[in-house]
Amino acid sequence: MDKQTARKVLENAEFQKMARQKAMLGWGFSAVVFFMYVAFIWVIGSSPELLKMPVSSDGITTWGIYIGVFVIVFSFVTTGIYVRIANGKFEKMTQEVVNSVKGEK
């Protein structure tokens, strides 16, 4: 893509709308994951006894292990959802704008 076409794409109102939506989605997901980690660390610092309680009375695995794994898996899943949306809906919207600017549609 030449510089003139790229400039037209960047100035396109639909592309700018899509870019704002994508940024809002990314920042929203980032905020959710950030607050999840902060809450986890806060519990570790303020009430560690909650996380060191065993899951069962005769077991050695604690709730902290399960909650820690949940936080990590939740982060991966959230990232996967974002990537799926960004590479699906937003990529399609970008291609539509590029095609319209090039005059192919």
Side-chain angles (χ1 to χ4, degrees), residues 26-40:
W27 282 108
F29 279 160
S30 295
V32 168
V33 170
F34 174 76
F35 287 120
M36 174 80 69
Y37 275 102
V38 167
F40 182 62

Side-chain angles (χ1 to χ4, degrees), residues 20-63:
R20 281 191 303 275
Q21 289 175 349
K22 187 175 180 182
M24 291 294 289
L25 183 69
W27 282 108
F29 279 160
S30 295
V32 168
V33 170
F34 174 76
F35 287 120
M36 174 80 69
Y37 275 102
V38 167
F40 182 62
I41 298 302
W42 190 331
V43 171
I44 290 171
S46 63
S47 301
E49 63 278 353
L50 292 176
L51 298 176
K52 67 180 179 182
M53 291 183 347
V55 175
S56 63
S57 60
D58 58 343
I60 59 170
T61 304
T62 64
W63 282 107

Side-chain angles (χ1 to χ4, degrees), residues 31 39 69 73 81 91 97-99 101:
V69 169
V73 170
I81 292 169
E91 185 62 28
V97 169
V98 170
N99 291 338
V101 166

Side-chain angles (χ1 to χ4, degrees), residues 86-99:
N87 289 345
K89 175 185 173 186
F90 293 131
E91 185 62 28
K92 182 180 176 189
M93 291 170 73
T94 301
Q95 288 305 314
E96 288 172 359
V97 169
V98 170
N99 291 338

Side-chain angles (χ1 to χ4, degrees), residues 68-85:
V69 169
F70 171 78
V71 169
I72 294 168
V73 170
F74 179 81
S75 300
F76 277 102
V77 169
T78 304
T79 302
I81 292 169
Y82 172 79
V83 168
R84 185 175 180 98
I85 293 170

